[in-house]
Amino acid sequence: MIIVPWTGTTLSAQTFGHYRRTFQIIQFILFLCISAFLFIRTVDGHGTVQTLEVKLISFAVWALFYLGVLAIEWLIYCIVRHAKK
């Protein structure tokens, strides 16, 4: 059982798994939308024209950030699973 701090209620592991999976799907859709935006825009915030090289660099930075978030998420998940045992 997982205790939700702000409500004091508990969630079963199965319910928590559904919430986690839903969050990951929303997170991935957000990643795809921002990635599409990075490739669609022709001018960045400074008024500089975006070449394919610059778009790929922007995407690489965005992808590394996303992978960092996923790594932290999975690390927390593994720690929680290990602590349950």
Side-chain angles (χ1 to χ4, degrees), residues 12-52:
S12 68
Q14 184 178 10
T15 303
F16 180 71
H18 289 300
Y19 285 135
R20 187 174 160 271
R21 183 170 295 139
T22 302
F23 176 75
Q24 285 181 333
I25 290 170
I26 292 170
Q27 184 180 5
F28 184 68
I29 290 170
L30 183 65
F31 171 76
L32 291 177
C33 290
I34 293 175
S35 297
F37 170 73
L38 289 175
F39 278 105
I40 291 173
R41 68 182 183 164
T42 56
V43 178
D44 71 357
H46 296 284
T48 308
V49 176
Q50 295 287 306
T51 63
L52 180 60

mmCIF file of all heavy atoms in Angstrom, residues 12-52:
data_model
loop_
_atom_site.group_PDB
_atom_site.id
_atom_site.type_symbol
_atom_site.label_atom_id
_atom_site.label_comp_id
_atom_site.label_asym_id
_atom_site.label_seq_id
_atom_site.Cartn_x
_atom_site.Cartn_y
_atom_site.Cartn_z
ATOM 1 N N SER A 12 -3.384 1.025 -3.811
ATOM 2 C CA SER A 12 -2.803 -0.302 -3.982
ATOM 3 C C SER A 12 -1.682 -0.204 -5.013
ATOM 4 O O SER A 12 -1.597 0.763 -5.774
ATOM 5 C CB SER A 12 -3.868 -1.292 -4.458
ATOM 6 O OG SER A 12 -4.283 -0.973 -5.767
ATOM 7 N N ALA A 13 -0.838 -1.198 -5.068
ATOM 8 C CA ALA A 13 0.266 -1.199 -6.034
ATOM 9 C C ALA A 13 -0.270 -1.210 -7.457
ATOM 10 O O ALA A 13 0.298 -0.590 -8.353
ATOM 11 C CB ALA A 13 1.173 -2.399 -5.792
ATOM 12 N N GLN A 14 -1.385 -1.899 -7.689
ATOM 13 C CA GLN A 14 -1.966 -1.967 -9.024
ATOM 14 C C GLN A 14 -2.477 -0.589 -9.458
ATOM 15 O O GLN A 14 -2.228 -0.159 -10.573
ATOM 16 C CB GLN A 14 -3.103 -2.978 -9.056
ATOM 17 C CG GLN A 14 -3.693 -3.176 -10.434
ATOM 18 C CD GLN A 14 -4.789 -4.218 -10.427
ATOM 19 O OE1 GLN A 14 -5.235 -4.658 -9.383
ATOM 20 N NE2 GLN A 14 -5.224 -4.609 -11.599
ATOM 21 N N THR A 15 -3.154 0.122 -8.567
ATOM 22 C CA THR A 15 -3.649 1.456 -8.884
ATOM 23 C C THR A 15 -2.493 2.407 -9.128
ATOM 24 O O THR A 15 -2.519 3.207 -10.059
ATOM 25 C CB THR A 15 -4.530 1.992 -7.740
ATOM 26 O OG1 THR A 15 -5.590 1.072 -7.507
ATOM 27 C CG2 THR A 15 -5.115 3.342 -8.082
ATOM 28 N N PHE A 16 -1.456 2.318 -8.301
ATOM 29 C CA PHE A 16 -0.273 3.155 -8.481
ATOM 30 C C PHE A 16 0.371 2.880 -9.833
ATOM 31 O O PHE A 16 0.820 3.800 -10.515
ATOM 32 C CB PHE A 16 0.724 2.910 -7.354
ATOM 33 C CG PHE A 16 1.964 3.734 -7.468
ATOM 34 C CD1 PHE A 16 1.935 5.094 -7.245
ATOM 35 C CD2 PHE A 16 3.170 3.147 -7.815
ATOM 36 C CE1 PHE A 16 3.074 5.871 -7.358
ATOM 37 C CE2 PHE A 16 4.314 3.905 -7.930
ATOM 38 C CZ PHE A 16 4.267 5.270 -7.698
ATOM 39 N N GLY A 17 0.406 1.604 -10.237
ATOM 40 C CA GLY A 17 0.970 1.238 -11.535
ATOM 41 C C GLY A 17 0.193 1.854 -12.686
ATOM 42 O O GLY A 17 0.775 2.297 -13.676
ATOM 43 N N HIS A 18 -1.139 1.915 -12.552
ATOM 44 C CA HIS A 18 -1.958 2.538 -13.593
ATOM 45 C C HIS A 18 -1.693 4.041 -13.671
ATOM 46 O O HIS A 18 -1.605 4.598 -14.761
ATOM 47 C CB HIS A 18 -3.449 2.291 -13.337
ATOM 48 C CG HIS A 18 -3.856 0.864 -13.563
ATOM 49 N ND1 HIS A 18 -3.702 0.238 -14.774
ATOM 50 C CD2 HIS A 18 -4.401 -0.043 -12.730
ATOM 51 C CE1 HIS A 18 -4.138 -1.005 -14.684
ATOM 52 N NE2 HIS A 18 -4.566 -1.201 -13.444
ATOM 53 N N TYR A 19 -1.577 4.695 -12.518
ATOM 54 C CA TYR A 19 -1.274 6.125 -12.507
ATOM 55 C C TYR A 19 0.100 6.384 -13.118
ATOM 56 O O TYR A 19 0.279 7.329 -13.880
ATOM 57 C CB TYR A 19 -1.303 6.690 -11.087
ATOM 58 C CG TYR A 19 -2.683 6.873 -10.522
ATOM 59 C CD1 TYR A 19 -2.985 6.472 -9.234
ATOM 60 C CD2 TYR A 19 -3.695 7.458 -11.271
ATOM 61 C CE1 TYR A 19 -4.250 6.641 -8.702
ATOM 62 C CE2 TYR A 19 -4.963 7.631 -10.760
ATOM 63 C CZ TYR A 19 -5.235 7.226 -9.470
ATOM 64 O OH TYR A 19 -6.478 7.400 -8.958
ATOM 65 N N ARG A 20 1.051 5.553 -12.792
ATOM 66 C CA ARG A 20 2.412 5.706 -13.301
ATOM 67 C C ARG A 20 2.446 5.530 -14.818
ATOM 68 O O ARG A 20 3.071 6.303 -15.539
ATOM 69 C CB ARG A 20 3.328 4.688 -12.623
ATOM 70 C CG ARG A 20 4.768 4.863 -12.942
ATOM 71 C CD ARG A 20 5.595 3.900 -12.090
ATOM 72 N NE ARG A 20 6.867 3.734 -12.701
ATOM 73 C CZ ARG A 20 7.159 2.819 -13.615
ATOM 74 N NH1 ARG A 20 6.256 1.964 -13.979
ATOM 75 N NH2 ARG A 20 8.353 2.747 -14.140
ATOM 76 N N ARG A 21 1.735 4.515 -15.313
ATOM 77 C CA ARG A 21 1.685 4.266 -16.758
ATOM 78 C C ARG A 21 0.991 5.425 -17.473
ATOM 79 O O ARG A 21 1.448 5.871 -18.525
ATOM 80 C CB ARG A 21 0.954 2.955 -17.039
ATOM 81 C CG ARG A 21 0.947 2.615 -18.524
ATOM 82 C CD ARG A 21 0.446 1.231 -18.788
ATOM 83 N NE ARG A 21 1.377 0.279 -18.213
ATOM 84 C CZ ARG A 21 1.016 -0.814 -17.561
ATOM 85 N NH1 ARG A 21 -0.259 -1.099 -17.409
ATOM 86 N NH2 ARG A 21 1.906 -1.641 -17.074
ATOM 87 N N THR A 22 -0.093 5.934 -16.911
ATOM 88 C CA THR A 22 -0.792 7.074 -17.509
ATOM 89 C C THR A 22 0.116 8.297 -17.552
ATOM 90 O O THR A 22 0.175 9.004 -18.561
ATOM 91 C CB THR A 22 -2.072 7.398 -16.703
ATOM 92 O OG1 THR A 22 -2.897 6.238 -16.672
ATOM 93 C CG2 THR A 22 -2.830 8.554 -17.322
ATOM 94 N N PHE A 23 0.845 8.544 -16.472
ATOM 95 C CA PHE A 23 1.778 9.667 -16.435
ATOM 96 C C PHE A 23 2.854 9.511 -17.500
ATOM 97 O O PHE A 23 3.220 10.484 -18.169
ATOM 98 C CB PHE A 23 2.412 9.783 -15.047
ATOM 99 C CG PHE A 23 3.456 10.848 -14.956
ATOM 100 C CD1 PHE A 23 3.090 12.181 -14.915
ATOM 101 C CD2 PHE A 23 4.804 10.524 -14.924
ATOM 102 C CE1 PHE A 23 4.045 13.180 -14.839
ATOM 103 C CE2 PHE A 23 5.764 11.507 -14.850
ATOM 104 C CZ PHE A 23 5.384 12.840 -14.807
ATOM 105 N N GLN A 24 3.374 8.304 -17.693
ATOM 106 C CA GLN A 24 4.412 8.081 -18.693
ATOM 107 C C GLN A 24 3.890 8.305 -20.103
ATOM 108 O O GLN A 24 4.596 8.840 -20.954
ATOM 109 C CB GLN A 24 4.984 6.678 -18.562
ATOM 110 C CG GLN A 24 5.909 6.523 -17.394
ATOM 111 C CD GLN A 24 6.482 5.120 -17.303
ATOM 112 O OE1 GLN A 24 5.873 4.162 -17.755
ATOM 113 N NE2 GLN A 24 7.643 5.021 -16.698
ATOM 114 N N ILE A 25 2.646 7.917 -20.360
ATOM 115 C CA ILE A 25 2.056 8.141 -21.683
ATOM 116 C C ILE A 25 1.897 9.634 -21.942
ATOM 117 O O ILE A 25 2.252 10.126 -23.016
ATOM 118 C CB ILE A 25 0.706 7.400 -21.805
ATOM 119 C CG1 ILE A 25 0.948 5.891 -21.851
ATOM 120 C CG2 ILE A 25 -0.066 7.864 -23.038
ATOM 121 C CD1 ILE A 25 -0.301 5.057 -21.731
ATOM 122 N N ILE A 26 1.394 10.376 -20.954
ATOM 123 C CA ILE A 26 1.245 11.828 -21.100
ATOM 124 C C ILE A 26 2.612 12.480 -21.286
ATOM 125 O O ILE A 26 2.792 13.371 -22.125
ATOM 126 C CB ILE A 26 0.508 12.415 -19.878
ATOM 127 C CG1 ILE A 26 -0.941 11.938 -19.873
ATOM 128 C CG2 ILE A 26 0.582 13.937 -19.873
ATOM 129 C CD1 ILE A 26 -1.687 12.244 -18.602
ATOM 130 N N GLN A 27 3.594 12.017 -20.538
ATOM 131 C CA GLN A 27 4.958 12.550 -20.636
ATOM 132 C C GLN A 27 5.529 12.301 -22.029
ATOM 133 O O GLN A 27 6.160 13.183 -22.616
ATOM 134 C CB GLN A 27 5.806 11.865 -19.573
ATOM 135 C CG GLN A 27 7.205 12.336 -19.448
ATOM 136 C CD GLN A 27 7.946 11.574 -18.345
ATOM 137 O OE1 GLN A 27 7.425 10.646 -17.752
ATOM 138 N NE2 GLN A 27 9.159 11.976 -18.093
ATOM 139 N N PHE A 28 5.305 11.117 -22.598
ATOM 140 C CA PHE A 28 5.817 10.798 -23.931
ATOM 141 C C PHE A 28 5.120 11.630 -25.002
ATOM 142 O O PHE A 28 5.767 12.110 -25.940
ATOM 143 C CB PHE A 28 5.661 9.298 -24.216
ATOM 144 C CG PHE A 28 6.254 8.883 -25.523
ATOM 145 C CD1 PHE A 28 7.616 8.906 -25.721
ATOM 146 C CD2 PHE A 28 5.446 8.481 -26.565
ATOM 147 C CE1 PHE A 28 8.173 8.528 -26.932
ATOM 148 C CE2 PHE A 28 5.979 8.101 -27.780
ATOM 149 C CZ PHE A 28 7.351 8.127 -27.966
ATOM 150 N N ILE A 29 3.802 11.834 -24.868
ATOM 151 C CA ILE A 29 3.076 12.664 -25.825
ATOM 152 C C ILE A 29 3.598 14.095 -25.778
ATOM 153 O O ILE A 29 3.784 14.734 -26.817
ATOM 154 C CB ILE A 29 1.557 12.599 -25.557
ATOM 155 C CG1 ILE A 29 1.027 11.207 -25.921
ATOM 156 C CG2 ILE A 29 0.802 13.677 -26.322
ATOM 157 C CD1 ILE A 29 -0.401 10.952 -25.490
ATOM 158 N N LEU A 30 3.859 14.596 -24.582
ATOM 159 C CA LEU A 30 4.437 15.933 -24.439
ATOM 160 C C LEU A 30 5.817 16.000 -25.097
ATOM 161 O O LEU A 30 6.139 16.974 -25.790
ATOM 162 C CB LEU A 30 4.538 16.308 -22.960
ATOM 163 C CG LEU A 30 5.051 17.698 -22.644
ATOM 164 C CD1 LEU A 30 4.088 18.750 -23.162
ATOM 165 C CD2 LEU A 30 5.246 17.850 -21.147
ATOM 166 N N PHE A 31 6.622 14.962 -24.927
ATOM 167 C CA PHE A 31 7.939 14.901 -25.564
ATOM 168 C C PHE A 31 7.797 14.966 -27.087
ATOM 169 O O PHE A 31 8.523 15.706 -27.758
ATOM 170 C CB PHE A 31 8.675 13.622 -25.165
ATOM 171 C CG PHE A 31 9.934 13.374 -25.947
ATOM 172 C CD1 PHE A 31 11.077 14.101 -25.682
ATOM 173 C CD2 PHE A 31 9.968 12.423 -26.947
ATOM 174 C CE1 PHE A 31 12.243 13.887 -26.405
ATOM 175 C CE2 PHE A 31 11.125 12.199 -27.673
ATOM 176 C CZ PHE A 31 12.262 12.928 -27.404
ATOM 177 N N LEU A 32 6.847 14.203 -27.645
ATOM 178 C CA LEU A 32 6.645 14.205 -29.095
ATOM 179 C C LEU A 32 6.174 15.572 -29.604
ATOM 180 O O LEU A 32 6.630 16.031 -30.654
ATOM 181 C CB LEU A 32 5.639 13.125 -29.494
ATOM 182 C CG LEU A 32 6.117 11.684 -29.336
ATOM 183 C CD1 LEU A 32 4.984 10.719 -29.697
ATOM 184 C CD2 LEU A 32 7.342 11.413 -30.174
ATOM 185 N N CYS A 33 5.281 16.217 -28.863
ATOM 186 C CA CYS A 33 4.785 17.538 -29.274
ATOM 187 C C CYS A 33 5.902 18.571 -29.281
ATOM 188 O O CYS A 33 6.026 19.359 -30.237
ATOM 189 C CB CYS A 33 3.656 17.987 -28.352
ATOM 190 S SG CYS A 33 2.133 17.050 -28.543
ATOM 191 N N ILE A 34 6.707 18.588 -28.255
ATOM 192 C CA ILE A 34 7.807 19.560 -28.199
ATOM 193 C C ILE A 34 8.851 19.241 -29.263
ATOM 194 O O ILE A 34 9.416 20.151 -29.888
ATOM 195 C CB ILE A 34 8.416 19.611 -26.785
ATOM 196 C CG1 ILE A 34 7.386 20.204 -25.821
ATOM 197 C CG2 ILE A 34 9.702 20.432 -26.762
ATOM 198 C CD1 ILE A 34 7.792 20.215 -24.383
ATOM 199 N N SER A 35 9.087 17.959 -29.516
ATOM 200 C CA SER A 35 10.027 17.577 -30.579
ATOM 201 C C SER A 35 9.528 18.049 -31.940
ATOM 202 O O SER A 35 10.302 18.571 -32.747
ATOM 203 C CB SER A 35 10.216 16.061 -30.603
ATOM 204 O OG SER A 35 10.790 15.615 -29.405
ATOM 205 N N ALA A 36 8.228 17.862 -32.189
ATOM 206 C CA ALA A 36 7.650 18.333 -33.451
ATOM 207 C C ALA A 36 7.782 19.846 -33.561
ATOM 208 O O ALA A 36 8.128 20.380 -34.628
ATOM 209 C CB ALA A 36 6.188 17.912 -33.547
ATOM 210 N N PHE A 37 7.532 20.561 -32.458
ATOM 211 C CA PHE A 37 7.679 22.015 -32.465
ATOM 212 C C PHE A 37 9.108 22.422 -32.813
ATOM 213 O O PHE A 37 9.323 23.361 -33.589
ATOM 214 C CB PHE A 37 7.281 22.594 -31.101
ATOM 215 C CG PHE A 37 7.620 24.043 -30.944
ATOM 216 C CD1 PHE A 37 6.894 25.013 -31.607
ATOM 217 C CD2 PHE A 37 8.687 24.429 -30.151
ATOM 218 C CE1 PHE A 37 7.220 26.361 -31.472
ATOM 219 C CE2 PHE A 37 9.019 25.763 -30.002
ATOM 220 C CZ PHE A 37 8.282 26.733 -30.666
ATOM 221 N N LEU A 38 10.094 21.715 -32.258
ATOM 222 C CA LEU A 38 11.495 22.049 -32.540
ATOM 223 C C LEU A 38 11.832 21.871 -34.017
ATOM 224 O O LEU A 38 12.646 22.613 -34.574
ATOM 225 C CB LEU A 38 12.435 21.193 -31.685
ATOM 226 C CG LEU A 38 12.475 21.521 -30.196
ATOM 227 C CD1 LEU A 38 13.342 20.510 -29.459
ATOM 228 C CD2 LEU A 38 12.981 22.922 -29.962
ATOM 229 N N PHE A 39 11.200 20.887 -34.669
ATOM 230 C CA PHE A 39 11.490 20.656 -36.082
ATOM 231 C C PHE A 39 10.648 21.526 -37.010
ATOM 232 O O PHE A 39 11.058 21.821 -38.117
ATOM 233 C CB PHE A 39 11.306 19.176 -36.434
ATOM 234 C CG PHE A 39 12.492 18.348 -36.079
ATOM 235 C CD1 PHE A 39 12.473 17.515 -34.983
ATOM 236 C CD2 PHE A 39 13.648 18.405 -36.834
ATOM 237 C CE1 PHE A 39 13.570 16.756 -34.634
ATOM 238 C CE2 PHE A 39 14.762 17.656 -36.503
ATOM 239 C CZ PHE A 39 14.725 16.833 -35.399
ATOM 240 N N ILE A 40 9.476 21.961 -36.559
ATOM 241 C CA ILE A 40 8.592 22.747 -37.416
ATOM 242 C C ILE A 40 8.996 24.216 -37.457
ATOM 243 O O ILE A 40 8.906 24.862 -38.509
ATOM 244 C CB ILE A 40 7.128 22.601 -36.945
ATOM 245 C CG1 ILE A 40 6.634 21.188 -37.229
ATOM 246 C CG2 ILE A 40 6.231 23.617 -37.619
ATOM 247 C CD1 ILE A 40 5.267 20.896 -36.647
ATOM 248 N N ARG A 41 9.436 24.761 -36.347
ATOM 249 C CA ARG A 41 9.719 26.200 -36.312
ATOM 250 C C ARG A 41 10.866 26.556 -37.256
ATOM 251 O O ARG A 41 11.836 25.814 -37.409
ATOM 252 C CB ARG A 41 10.011 26.676 -34.896
ATOM 253 C CG ARG A 41 11.296 26.161 -34.315
ATOM 254 C CD ARG A 41 11.487 26.635 -32.905
ATOM 255 N NE ARG A 41 12.780 26.168 -32.412
ATOM 256 C CZ ARG A 41 13.359 26.648 -31.357
ATOM 257 N NH1 ARG A 41 12.770 27.610 -30.666
ATOM 258 N NH2 ARG A 41 14.525 26.184 -30.966
ATOM 259 N N THR A 42 10.729 27.693 -37.883
ATOM 260 C CA THR A 42 11.755 28.122 -38.839
ATOM 261 C C THR A 42 12.672 29.190 -38.238
ATOM 262 O O THR A 42 13.782 29.374 -38.717
ATOM 263 C CB THR A 42 11.098 28.694 -40.109
ATOM 264 O OG1 THR A 42 10.214 29.752 -39.742
ATOM 265 C CG2 THR A 42 10.326 27.608 -40.839
ATOM 266 N N VAL A 43 12.168 29.896 -37.209
ATOM 267 C CA VAL A 43 12.948 30.957 -36.564
ATOM 268 C C VAL A 43 12.871 30.734 -35.062
ATOM 269 O O VAL A 43 11.802 30.468 -34.522
ATOM 270 C CB VAL A 43 12.383 32.344 -36.939
ATOM 271 C CG1 VAL A 43 13.143 33.450 -36.237
ATOM 272 C CG2 VAL A 43 12.414 32.560 -38.436
ATOM 273 N N ASP A 44 14.006 30.827 -34.362
ATOM 274 C CA ASP A 44 13.971 30.639 -32.910
ATOM 275 C C ASP A 44 13.619 31.942 -32.200
ATOM 276 O O ASP A 44 13.294 32.951 -32.832
ATOM 277 C CB ASP A 44 15.287 30.054 -32.402
ATOM 278 C CG ASP A 44 16.445 31.028 -32.456
ATOM 279 O OD1 ASP A 44 16.256 32.160 -32.938
ATOM 280 O OD2 ASP A 44 17.532 30.665 -31.998
ATOM 281 N N GLY A 45 13.675 31.944 -30.888
ATOM 282 C CA GLY A 45 13.285 33.097 -30.099
ATOM 283 C C GLY A 45 14.171 34.320 -30.293
ATOM 284 O O GLY A 45 13.761 35.445 -30.001
ATOM 285 N N HIS A 46 15.372 34.131 -30.798
ATOM 286 C CA HIS A 46 16.298 35.255 -31.022
ATOM 287 C C HIS A 46 16.170 35.811 -32.432
ATOM 288 O O HIS A 46 16.860 36.757 -32.782
ATOM 289 C CB HIS A 46 17.750 34.809 -30.804
ATOM 290 C CG HIS A 46 18.037 34.400 -29.397
ATOM 291 N ND1 HIS A 46 18.194 35.323 -28.394
ATOM 292 C CD2 HIS A 46 18.160 33.183 -28.815
ATOM 293 C CE1 HIS A 46 18.418 34.688 -27.245
ATOM 294 N NE2 HIS A 46 18.402 33.390 -27.481
ATOM 295 N N GLY A 47 15.315 35.219 -33.247
ATOM 296 C CA GLY A 47 15.148 35.677 -34.624
ATOM 297 C C GLY A 47 16.109 35.036 -35.602
ATOM 298 O O GLY A 47 16.195 35.443 -36.760
ATOM 299 N N THR A 48 16.828 34.017 -35.155
ATOM 300 C CA THR A 48 17.785 33.319 -36.005
ATOM 301 C C THR A 48 17.071 32.235 -36.803
ATOM 302 O O THR A 48 16.251 31.494 -36.273
ATOM 303 C CB THR A 48 18.885 32.652 -35.155
ATOM 304 O OG1 THR A 48 19.441 33.635 -34.284
ATOM 305 C CG2 THR A 48 19.954 32.048 -36.019
ATOM 306 N N VAL A 49 17.400 32.144 -38.077
ATOM 307 C CA VAL A 49 16.808 31.112 -38.925
ATOM 308 C C VAL A 49 17.351 29.747 -38.500
ATOM 309 O O VAL A 49 18.552 29.590 -38.277
ATOM 310 C CB VAL A 49 17.129 31.383 -40.412
ATOM 311 C CG1 VAL A 49 16.611 30.257 -41.288
ATOM 312 C CG2 VAL A 49 16.530 32.714 -40.851
ATOM 313 N N GLN A 50 16.468 28.786 -38.383
ATOM 314 C CA GLN A 50 16.845 27.445 -37.934
ATOM 315 C C GLN A 50 17.254 26.579 -39.128
ATOM 316 O O GLN A 50 16.449 26.303 -40.008
ATOM 317 C CB GLN A 50 15.653 26.773 -37.231
ATOM 318 C CG GLN A 50 15.233 27.457 -35.965
ATOM 319 C CD GLN A 50 16.233 27.214 -34.860
ATOM 320 O OE1 GLN A 50 16.575 26.095 -34.550
ATOM 321 N NE2 GLN A 50 16.711 28.288 -34.271
ATOM 322 N N THR A 51 18.492 26.136 -39.140
ATOM 323 C CA THR A 51 18.940 25.185 -40.153
ATOM 324 C C THR A 51 18.724 23.775 -39.605
ATOM 325 O O THR A 51 18.421 23.599 -38.422
ATOM 326 C CB THR A 51 20.439 25.386 -40.463
ATOM 327 O OG1 THR A 51 21.181 25.124 -39.269
ATOM 328 C CG2 THR A 51 20.708 26.797 -40.963
ATOM 329 N N LEU A 52 18.873 22.786 -40.454
ATOM 330 C CA LEU A 52 18.693 21.403 -40.011
ATOM 331 C C LEU A 52 19.696 21.053 -38.912
ATOM 332 O O LEU A 52 19.350 20.371 -37.944
ATOM 333 C CB LEU A 52 18.836 20.435 -41.188
ATOM 334 C CG LEU A 52 18.660 18.959 -40.848
ATOM 335 C CD1 LEU A 52 17.274 18.705 -40.255
ATOM 336 C CD2 LEU A 52 18.911 18.088 -42.048
#
